[in-house]
């Protein structure tokens, strides 16, 4: 693997997260408010984030950033995907809200956060493994 490949994959993964989060970011920059629209756009971004990231990782191409592909993939596996999103929210909330407030060593908190991120990655991978025929990405 060359530096160019590493840079390309990094840009792809950052772009796959940005595709899900840019509407709420643009709204906040332009309005500087956290009203109902902000929270609605944030919720939509969180809903699309796991599939966007999964498409970026699995397809390893900038074609994965196509919003139509992401929406179509969510529709094909809607019920299992909703379960994944709820699990994603629970683990992300635990990693960002609960663990930093624990009265333990910072090394232990960081270890727990890394473990939870690995659990998220594992759950997204299992989702793909179980639903690869439904998603029909041709991989």
């Amino acid at each position: 693997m060359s530096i160019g490949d590493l840079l390309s994959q990094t840009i792809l993964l950052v772009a796959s997260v940005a595709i899900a989060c840019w509407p709420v970011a643009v709204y906040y920059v332009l309005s500087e408010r956290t009203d109902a629209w902000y929270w609605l756009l944030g919720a939509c971004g969180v809903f699309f984030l796991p599939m966007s990231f999964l498409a970026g990782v699995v397809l390893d191409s900038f074609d994965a950033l196509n919003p139509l592909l992401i929406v179509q993939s969510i529709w094909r596996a809607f019920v299992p995907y909703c379960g994944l999103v709820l699990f994603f929210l629970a683990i992300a909330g635990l990693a960002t809200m609960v663990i930093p407030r624990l009265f333990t060593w910072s090394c232990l908190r960081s270890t727990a956060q890394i473990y939870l991120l690995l659990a998220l990655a594992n759950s997204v991978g299992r989702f793909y493994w179980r639903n690869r025929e439904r998603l029909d990405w041709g991989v």
Side-chain angles (χ1 to χ4, degrees):
M1 175 177 269
S2 68
I3 293 294
D5 290 339
L6 181 63
L7 183 62
S8 173
Q9 288 178 346
T10 303
I11 290 171
L12 177 63
L13 294 180
V14 168
S16 66
V17 171
I19 231 35
C21 299
W22 75 268
V24 70
V26 168
Y27 180 79
Y28 183 74
V29 167
L30 294 178
S31 70
E32 296 181 3
R33 293 183 302 197
T34 56
D35 55 1
W37 284 106
Y38 171 83
W39 292 108
L40 178 67
L41 289 171
C44 289
V46 167
F47 184 74
F48 288 108
L49 180 63
M51 187 63 77
S52 173
F53 193 72
L54 180 64
V57 169
V58 171
L59 298 177
D60 195 26
S61 167
F62 287 100
D63 295 336
L65 301 179
N66 183 354
L68 295 175
L69 172 76
I70 295 168
V71 169
Q72 184 181 34
S73 299
I74 290 172
W75 182 252
R76 287 180 179 168
F78 186 72
V79 173
Y81 183 72
C82 288
L84 174 69
V85 169
L86 289 175
F87 182 74
F88 193 88
L89 284 173
I91 296 297
L94 186 65
T96 59
M97 299 292 220
V98 176
I99 292 191
R101 295 182 179 163
L102 293 177
F103 297 110
T104 60
W105 299 315
S106 64
C107 177
L108 187 59
R109 284 190 302 244
S110 298
T111 303
Q113 287 174 324
I114 290 170
Y115 177 78
L116 289 175
L117 289 174
L118 290 173
L120 276 179
N122 186 359
S123 66
V124 171
R126 284 181 184 265
F127 168 80
Y128 175 71
W129 183 255
R130 290 182 179 156
N131 297 290
R132 63 185 181 274
E133 288 87 22
R134 285 187 202 172
L135 295 174
D136 192 30
W137 285 347
V139 177

